[in-house]
């Protein structure tokens, strides 16, 4: 028996264009032409993939699926920044652009500068960098 290999992170987007714009700001290479698609995938470093499906797409194969309120996601994504100052800068830029900040940057006890913002669907997205 072979062991499964972690391959894909899947997210459900209420507004595909807004969601992809957010992840482009974090450096993911997603073509602008994908904004109107019902399913989008992007390659991640190390061979992983990230994918987004619209709510309508999910309902097409699971008619009983219902979206919970924003912020009820059970997924966490983390983006490593080049420095502690870059965490602060990116958090400030994203919140200035209207994305919701969940936790302002702080020096975490585990040795990282850390902050948390929400993507357009309320999923927490961590920004971090090792402390010197």
């Amino acid at each position: 028996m072979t062991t499964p290999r972690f391959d894909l992170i899947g997210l459900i987007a209420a507004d595909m264009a807004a969601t992809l714009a957010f992840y482009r700001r974090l450096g993911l290479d997603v073509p602008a032409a994908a904004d109107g698609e019902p399913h989008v995938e992007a390659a991640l470093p190390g061979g992983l993939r990230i994918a987004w499906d619209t709510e309508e797409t999910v309902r097409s194969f699971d008619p009983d699926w219902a979206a919970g309120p924003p912020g009820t996601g059970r997924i966490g994504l983390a983006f490593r920044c080049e420095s502690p100052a870059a965490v602060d800068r990116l958090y400030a830029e994203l919140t200035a652009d209207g994305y919701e900040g969940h936790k302002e940057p702080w020096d975490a006890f585990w040795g990282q500068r850390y902050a948390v913002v929400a993507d357009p669907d309320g999923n927490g997205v961590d920004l971090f960098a090792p402390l010197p």
Side-chain angles (χ1 to χ4, degrees):
M1 182 170 139
T2 60
T3 303
R5 181 176 60 86
F6 181 53
D7 182 73
L8 183 123
I9 299 165
L11 299 167
I12 300 168
D15 179 333
M16 185 67 82
T19 296
L20 296 181
F22 175 83
Y23 286 99
R24 283 185 196 106
R25 288 289 312 272
L26 291 171
L28 295 186
D29 185 19
V30 183
D35 286 359
E37 297 296 321
H39 175 84
V40 177
E41 291 188 18
L44 298 173
L48 289 176
R49 296 174 298 135
I50 187 168
W52 300 268
D53 288 295
T54 63
E55 292 176 353
E56 294 78 20
T57 301
V58 175
R59 281 191 202 97
S60 73
F61 60 82
D62 184 358
D64 296 327
W65 181 84
T72 59
R74 294 181 184 254
I75 189 166
L77 301 174
F79 286 78
R80 183 178 179 147
C81 299
E82 64 190 33
S83 67
V87 171
D88 295 357
R89 187 171 45 253
L90 183 55
Y91 180 89
E93 289 173 4
L94 290 170
T95 56
D97 285 347
Y99 297 107
E100 181 183 349
H102 275 242
K103 184 146 177 69
E104 292 184 8
W106 83 98
D107 291 341
F109 69 86
W110 56 84
Q112 294 175 333
R113 185 71 173 165
Y114 226 86
V116 183
V117 295
D119 76 4
D121 295 299
N123 296 303
V125 176
D126 301 351
L127 309 173
F128 74 95
L131 290 169

